Amino acid sequence: MHRRTFVTATTAAAATLAAPMLRAQTLPAGPIRIIVGFAPGGGTDLLARVIGQKLATMWNTQIVVENKAGASGTIAADYVAKAAADGTVLHMAHINSHAIVPGLQKLAYDAEKDFQPIALVGVTPNLLICNEAQPAKTVKDVVELCRKNPGKVSFGSAGNGSAQHLALEMFMLQAGVKAIHVPYKGSGPMLTDLIGGQINYSFDTMTAATPHVKSGKAIPIAQTRQARAKSYPNVPTMAESGFPGFEATTWYGLVGPGKMPAALARRMNEDVNKVLLMPDVMEKLEASGAEDGGGTTEKFAQFMKVEQGKWARVIKDAGVKVEI
């Protein structure tokens, strides 16, 4: 278990930023934990720390990011689903634990009923990338390569049932091709093999792929949101490349246990929205490709419901069966 504690603001800063007494009374008095379902250093952990640092100052309280990694984030999600609903335990929800894995297997929690949405933090595109040695460096050419070599072109992912894996399944369904899925234990080892030429392609997260794209070792072919990310203005979307409606993202959002009062969630939502508009936070989110965060608790609830339905259909249509 890994913990990071954020030191609250100095007395002077706290006095400047302190909320009115009425607002302060609606928040938990004690320390707040944000539970992350992945190891330190990943995209989910990064965003939890960025948000946690700002809320610690704003709320003048201690906020701890606690990592409970494993089982595609479902260990952490299950822990939060069963936690006290007083606002002292929150969760940085992730597409894996709240939209994909629920469609793959029966879980000890209900992804819709056992959580109280607070705020969507950000949506990140995946990038279709390859190494320099690959002959096909456009979506059209990748499709043609897969058609001419059925079951021979390899696509790496961060693991079975991961967002990258399901992006590949969506691609194969829409393109009508078959490729080889090569699962790894995370993006790190997968990217090492991709760059080294052991595998050909991947729909990896923009956060993980960007350092290798900037170094020139990974070639970006397309991105997987309907609109181009601000940080990748010259890389076409899958929709622009002959796949209308193709959207396969990685997303993150703050939730609490299902019995957490809706009024408390809305109170927290106010401040998360303020944090997301801070220039330094916006800069960090944009650097990782995370966009379109914020909005109401209801908006986030509807977003997750749509995502759950979408990936359940892909899993069914593609016949995906994996053990997480």
Side-chain angles (χ1 to χ4, degrees):
M1 185 189 300
H2 302 270
R3 291 173 179 261
R4 276 191 190 82
T5 302
F6 301 124
V7 180
T8 54
T10 61
T11 304
T16 303
L17 296 170
M21 184 62 69
L22 180 63
R23 284 165 56 83
Q25 286 177 343
T26 65
L27 292 166
I32 295 172
R33 291 185 292 157
I34 300 177
I35 310 299
V36 170
F38 303 91
T44 316
D45 182 69
L46 168 68
L47 294 181
R49 285 188 285 124
V50 169
I51 301 300
Q53 286 171 338
K54 295 297 185 179
L55 291 177
T57 300
M58 190 178 287
W59 294 345
N60 193 28
T61 194
Q62 184 186 62
I63 294 183
V64 178
V65 167
E66 187 172 317
N67 301 83
K68 291 183 178 292
S72 291
T74 60
I75 291 173
D78 183 57
Y79 177 84
V80 175
K82 295 174 172 63
D86 58 1
T88 58
V89 179
L90 306 177
H91 179 43
M92 188 58 76
H94 185 275
I95 182 175
N96 286 1
S97 55
H98 284 71
I100 291 177
V101 181
L104 286 168
Q105 64 184 56
K106 185 171 178 58
L107 295 167
Y109 62 85
D110 185 308
E112 188 174 351
K113 296 177 182 177
D114 290 341
F115 300 92
Q116 168 61 56
I118 296 173
L120 178 64
V121 170
V123 182
T124 306
N126 292 315
L127 280 178
L128 174 57
I129 55 174
C130 68
N131 55 57
E132 295 175 287
Q134 297 310 307
K137 293 187 176 72
T138 67
V139 173
K140 180 181 177 181
D141 289 345
V142 172
V143 172
E144 191 61 26
L145 182 68
C146 291
R147 282 184 179 150
K148 289 180 177 177
N149 302 275
K152 294 182 180 178
V153 181
S154 57
F155 284 72
S157 83
N160 281 319
S162 64
Q164 300 97 316
H165 175 194
L166 270 293
L168 169 61
E169 296 289 351
M170 180 181 280
F171 168 69
M172 290 192 293
L173 279 173
Q174 293 194 17
V177 298
K178 273 314 270 189
I180 302 171
H181 172 228
V182 184
Y184 288 79
K185 292 182 178 179
S187 286
M190 183 276 294
L191 284 163
T192 298
D193 274 9
L194 180 112
I195 292 165
Q198 281 76 35
I199 56 174
N200 307 126
Y201 297 91
S202 175
F203 283 94
D204 201 18
T205 65
M206 188 171 281
T207 305
T210 291
H212 304 284
V213 170
K214 287 184 175 179
S215 72
K217 294 178 180 178
I219 310 299
I221 297 171
Q223 49 186 308
T224 62
R225 290 198 75 192
Q226 292 293 296
R228 298 185 186 190
K230 294 174 185 175
S231 51
Y232 279 82
N234 300 319
V235 177
T237 65
M238 290 293 290
E240 292 170 330
S241 306
F243 289 80
F246 192 106
E247 179 139 3
T249 63
T250 299
W251 52 261
Y252 317 84
L254 206 60
V255 302
K259 293 182 180 179
M260 178 179 170
L264 178 55
R266 287 192 291 271
R267 168 68 185 84
M268 290 182 168
N269 171 274
E270 282 182 43
D271 288 337
V272 174
N273 275 299
K274 290 175 185 175
V275 167
L276 293 173
L277 290 174
M278 294 178 179
D280 58 330
V281 173
M282 292 176 70
E283 184 179 343
K284 288 175 183 175
L285 293 179
E286 272 190 32
S288 64
E291 298 179 352
D292 298 334
T296 64
T297 59
E298 292 81 9
K299 173 192 169 185
F300 185 29
Q302 182 60 26
F303 174 86
M304 286 195 286
K305 188 171 184 177
V306 170
E307 283 284 291
Q308 288 158 5
K310 177 176 78 176
W311 291 113
R313 286 191 297 274
V314 171
I315 289 164
K316 181 181 178 181
D317 293 346
V320 181
K321 297 184 186 301
V322 301
E323 289 295 325
I324 304 300

